[in-house]
Amino acid sequence: MIEIRFHGRGGQGAVTAVKILASAIYLEGKFTQAIPMYGTERRGAPVAAFCRVDDTRIRERDLVHEPDMVVVLDPLLNRSVDVTDGLKKGGLVIVNHPGAAKDTGLAGDFKVATVDATKIALDVIGRPITNTAILGAFAKATGLVKLESLAEAVKSELPARLIPTNVDAMKKAYEATNAPVDASGFKKAEIVKKTSTQPMISYSRNVSDWRVIRPVVDKAKCVGCKRCWVYCPETAISLVDNKAEINYDYCKGCGICSEECLVHAIKMEREEV
Ligand code: SF4
Ligand code: SF4
């Protein structure tokens, strides 16, 4: 049996990714299992989902604690979550990262394959939803599933209007994936556990490391209508001199303010990794 664990952030589509993957491998004649893990997460918060693959019926129903493979949909997630916890010796990590495997902050007795899924998703889909791109990378790095099967499985998980761009993202990621590299000599990034003595409500939490894209306000265009202030789910926006100002400590990069600004005064720009 092959066990796979996906790590992502709410809104990146980790749960949909495991469903597409399990369906695609099932189409190729194997037994599969997709396990979503829902909690109290919100958009941007770390989430996990699990997939099992076998030649015979799978009776195991537990979460995956000792995966053979780990898939990471967010380049900075390993700064707050130990994504390789329990990964079997000689295992494989497929990670969304713009740099080389040695720059990912992942280190251990496993291999790391990288792909800049955020760039592909932004270029092709127009949003940093990296699930289908990372599945293209998974197909390339593991050889466990065919790209054609993933493209077929997408049809049952996404609305028809989203299928062409998501299949295109898969194909582009498949072509752009770097070959797995031995990570035993790399330096592991420190995991910063954040604690708060305040109530766990939006404005008391620093969520800056959830962000892969950041809103930038063009103050010349801002007319001070407060629409972004009303819609921001993290209360990260205030009005200073009748212009929107963003507190980046509390901004998770969801892009809602940019979508809601009627004069297009807020542009989303990619964060440096
Ligand atoms: S919605 Fe746009 S115009 Fe209105 S306050 Fe925000 S940035 Fe300014
Ligand atoms: S400032 Fe904009 S991008 Fe940041 S959390 Fe608020 S709505 Fe989302």
Side-chain angles (χ1 to χ4, degrees), residues 14 23 25 27 46 55 73 83 96-97 100 111 121 137 143 147 168 170 203 236 238:
S23 300
I25 299 176
L27 289 173
D55 292 325
L73 282 77
V83 295
N96 168 20
H97 197 281
K111 289 188 172 178
L147 207 45
D168 196 20
M170 276 178 184
Y203 54 81
S238 52

mmCIF file of all heavy atoms in Angstrom, residues 14 23 25 27 46 55 73 83 96-97 100 111 121 137 143 147 168 170 203 236 238:
data_model
loop_
_atom_site.group_PDB
_atom_site.id
_atom_site.type_symbol
_atom_site.label_atom_id
_atom_site.label_comp_id
_atom_site.label_asym_id
_atom_site.label_seq_id
_atom_site.Cartn_x
_atom_site.Cartn_y
_atom_site.Cartn_z
ATOM 1 N N ALA A 14 -6.525 21.397 -1.145
ATOM 2 C CA ALA A 14 -5.875 20.127 -0.794
ATOM 3 C C ALA A 14 -6.885 18.974 -0.777
ATOM 4 O O ALA A 14 -6.596 17.867 -1.247
ATOM 5 C CB ALA A 14 -5.185 20.250 0.570
ATOM 6 N N SER A 23 -9.494 9.419 -7.534
ATOM 7 C CA SER A 23 -10.345 9.054 -8.678
ATOM 8 C C SER A 23 -9.489 8.668 -9.878
ATOM 9 O O SER A 23 -9.778 7.695 -10.581
ATOM 10 C CB SER A 23 -11.237 10.233 -9.083
ATOM 11 O OG SER A 23 -12.047 10.605 -8.031
ATOM 12 N N ILE A 25 -6.384 7.498 -10.013
ATOM 13 C CA ILE A 25 -5.686 6.213 -9.860
ATOM 14 C C ILE A 25 -6.699 5.067 -9.913
ATOM 15 O O ILE A 25 -6.420 3.991 -10.451
ATOM 16 C CB ILE A 25 -4.840 6.207 -8.563
ATOM 17 C CG1 ILE A 25 -3.788 7.316 -8.621
ATOM 18 C CG2 ILE A 25 -4.147 4.858 -8.377
ATOM 19 C CD1 ILE A 25 -2.949 7.487 -7.365
ATOM 20 N N LEU A 27 -9.323 5.079 -11.767
ATOM 21 C CA LEU A 27 -9.597 4.902 -13.199
ATOM 22 C C LEU A 27 -8.550 4.008 -13.856
ATOM 23 O O LEU A 27 -8.805 3.392 -14.890
ATOM 24 C CB LEU A 27 -9.606 6.265 -13.911
ATOM 25 C CG LEU A 27 -10.793 7.183 -13.611
ATOM 26 C CD1 LEU A 27 -10.579 8.556 -14.242
ATOM 27 C CD2 LEU A 27 -12.091 6.572 -14.106
ATOM 28 N N PRO A 46 -3.581 26.179 7.959
ATOM 29 C CA PRO A 46 -3.055 24.888 7.510
ATOM 30 C C PRO A 46 -4.113 23.789 7.541
ATOM 31 O O PRO A 46 -4.890 23.691 8.491
ATOM 32 C CB PRO A 46 -1.942 24.598 8.536
ATOM 33 C CG PRO A 46 -1.582 25.924 9.095
ATOM 34 C CD PRO A 46 -2.847 26.728 9.102
ATOM 35 N N ASP A 55 -3.262 -2.421 -4.518
ATOM 36 C CA ASP A 55 -3.748 -3.339 -5.556
ATOM 37 C C ASP A 55 -4.949 -4.136 -5.059
ATOM 38 O O ASP A 55 -5.636 -4.775 -5.853
ATOM 39 C CB ASP A 55 -2.629 -4.318 -5.960
ATOM 40 C CG ASP A 55 -1.514 -3.573 -6.683
ATOM 41 O OD1 ASP A 55 -1.818 -2.625 -7.418
ATOM 42 O OD2 ASP A 55 -0.338 -3.940 -6.477
ATOM 43 N N LEU A 73 1.371 22.037 -0.757
ATOM 44 C CA LEU A 73 0.813 22.999 -1.722
ATOM 45 C C LEU A 73 1.242 24.428 -1.488
ATOM 46 O O LEU A 73 0.904 25.320 -2.261
ATOM 47 C CB LEU A 73 -0.725 22.947 -1.690
ATOM 48 C CG LEU A 73 -1.375 21.788 -2.421
ATOM 49 C CD1 LEU A 73 -1.282 20.506 -1.624
ATOM 50 C CD2 LEU A 73 -2.825 22.087 -2.738
ATOM 51 N N VAL A 83 5.821 19.235 8.031
ATOM 52 C CA VAL A 83 5.154 18.500 6.949
ATOM 53 C C VAL A 83 5.766 17.116 6.711
ATOM 54 O O VAL A 83 5.122 16.238 6.144
ATOM 55 C CB VAL A 83 5.141 19.306 5.631
ATOM 56 C CG1 VAL A 83 4.317 20.566 5.763
ATOM 57 C CG2 VAL A 83 6.544 19.635 5.149
ATOM 58 N N ASN A 96 5.483 22.698 -3.596
ATOM 59 C CA ASN A 96 5.329 23.929 -4.370
ATOM 60 C C ASN A 96 6.357 24.926 -3.868
ATOM 61 O O ASN A 96 6.228 25.450 -2.755
ATOM 62 C CB ASN A 96 3.906 24.464 -4.178
ATOM 63 C CG ASN A 96 3.756 25.877 -4.716
ATOM 64 O OD1 ASN A 96 4.549 26.331 -5.543
ATOM 65 N ND2 ASN A 96 2.731 26.563 -4.250
ATOM 66 N N HIS A 97 7.391 25.178 -4.652
ATOM 67 C CA HIS A 97 8.435 26.111 -4.244
ATOM 68 C C HIS A 97 9.123 26.664 -5.493
ATOM 69 O O HIS A 97 9.396 25.903 -6.419
ATOM 70 C CB HIS A 97 9.462 25.400 -3.350
ATOM 71 C CG HIS A 97 10.315 26.335 -2.573
ATOM 72 N ND1 HIS A 97 11.390 27.009 -3.122
ATOM 73 C CD2 HIS A 97 10.249 26.754 -1.275
ATOM 74 C CE1 HIS A 97 11.928 27.781 -2.205
ATOM 75 N NE2 HIS A 97 11.268 27.648 -1.078
ATOM 76 N N ALA A 100 15.271 25.912 -5.722
ATOM 77 C CA ALA A 100 15.792 24.549 -5.826
ATOM 78 C C ALA A 100 15.419 23.759 -4.575
ATOM 79 O O ALA A 100 15.066 24.340 -3.539
ATOM 80 C CB ALA A 100 17.302 24.591 -5.980
ATOM 81 N N LYS A 111 13.631 12.246 -0.562
ATOM 82 C CA LYS A 111 13.916 13.078 -1.735
ATOM 83 C C LYS A 111 12.894 14.206 -1.844
ATOM 84 O O LYS A 111 11.763 14.070 -1.373
ATOM 85 C CB LYS A 111 13.875 12.218 -2.998
ATOM 86 C CG LYS A 111 15.057 11.265 -3.083
ATOM 87 C CD LYS A 111 15.093 10.567 -4.417
ATOM 88 C CE LYS A 111 16.388 9.784 -4.525
ATOM 89 N NZ LYS A 111 16.484 9.046 -5.770
ATOM 90 N N ALA A 121 -0.216 28.513 -11.315
ATOM 91 C CA ALA A 121 -1.633 28.769 -11.001
ATOM 92 C C ALA A 121 -2.005 30.228 -11.291
ATOM 93 O O ALA A 121 -3.056 30.501 -11.865
ATOM 94 C CB ALA A 121 -1.913 28.421 -9.541
ATOM 95 N N ALA A 137 2.613 17.905 -11.040
ATOM 96 C CA ALA A 137 3.965 17.641 -10.526
ATOM 97 C C ALA A 137 4.034 16.253 -9.890
ATOM 98 O O ALA A 137 5.037 15.534 -10.032
ATOM 99 C CB ALA A 137 4.336 18.709 -9.501
ATOM 100 N N GLY A 143 5.320 9.033 -11.079
ATOM 101 C CA GLY A 143 4.945 8.054 -12.107
ATOM 102 C C GLY A 143 3.790 7.165 -11.659
ATOM 103 O O GLY A 143 3.477 6.162 -12.286
ATOM 104 N N LEU A 147 -1.106 11.602 -16.497
ATOM 105 C CA LEU A 147 -1.677 12.944 -16.648
ATOM 106 C C LEU A 147 -3.090 12.851 -17.250
ATOM 107 O O LEU A 147 -4.003 13.580 -16.838
ATOM 108 C CB LEU A 147 -0.757 13.757 -17.568
ATOM 109 C CG LEU A 147 -0.708 15.269 -17.441
ATOM 110 C CD1 LEU A 147 -0.613 15.744 -16.011
ATOM 111 C CD2 LEU A 147 0.446 15.810 -18.278
ATOM 112 N N ASP A 168 -4.786 22.582 -17.990
ATOM 113 C CA ASP A 168 -3.607 23.259 -18.529
ATOM 114 C C ASP A 168 -2.552 23.453 -17.427
ATOM 115 O O ASP A 168 -1.354 23.250 -17.647
ATOM 116 C CB ASP A 168 -4.055 24.619 -19.092
ATOM 117 C CG ASP A 168 -3.003 25.211 -20.008
ATOM 118 O OD1 ASP A 168 -2.153 24.446 -20.491
ATOM 119 O OD2 ASP A 168 -3.037 26.439 -20.231
ATOM 120 N N MET A 170 -2.139 21.594 -14.803
ATOM 121 C CA MET A 170 -1.529 20.272 -14.552
ATOM 122 C C MET A 170 -0.421 19.971 -15.567
ATOM 123 O O MET A 170 0.670 19.535 -15.206
ATOM 124 C CB MET A 170 -2.593 19.185 -14.734
ATOM 125 C CG MET A 170 -3.450 18.930 -13.547
ATOM 126 S SD MET A 170 -4.648 17.676 -14.038
ATOM 127 C CE MET A 170 -5.603 17.617 -12.559
ATOM 128 N N TYR A 203 -8.319 39.615 14.821
ATOM 129 C CA TYR A 203 -7.369 40.701 14.986
ATOM 130 C C TYR A 203 -6.324 40.441 16.052
ATOM 131 O O TYR A 203 -5.467 41.267 16.298
ATOM 132 C CB TYR A 203 -8.113 42.026 15.220
ATOM 133 C CG TYR A 203 -9.107 42.011 16.346
ATOM 134 C CD1 TYR A 203 -8.696 42.165 17.666
ATOM 135 C CD2 TYR A 203 -10.455 41.831 16.083
ATOM 136 C CE1 TYR A 203 -9.606 42.152 18.688
ATOM 137 C CE2 TYR A 203 -11.379 41.812 17.113
ATOM 138 C CZ TYR A 203 -10.946 41.976 18.416
ATOM 139 O OH TYR A 203 -11.850 41.955 19.431
ATOM 140 N N ALA A 236 -7.847 43.601 8.730
ATOM 141 C CA ALA A 236 -6.462 44.053 8.537
ATOM 142 C C ALA A 236 -6.380 45.433 7.892
ATOM 143 O O ALA A 236 -5.288 45.952 7.698
ATOM 144 C CB ALA A 236 -5.721 43.037 7.661
ATOM 145 N N SER A 238 -7.402 49.516 7.656
ATOM 146 C CA SER A 238 -7.943 50.707 8.328
ATOM 147 C C SER A 238 -7.906 51.856 7.314
ATOM 148 O O SER A 238 -7.270 51.750 6.268
ATOM 149 C CB SER A 238 -7.130 51.038 9.573
ATOM 150 O OG SER A 238 -5.763 51.113 9.240
#
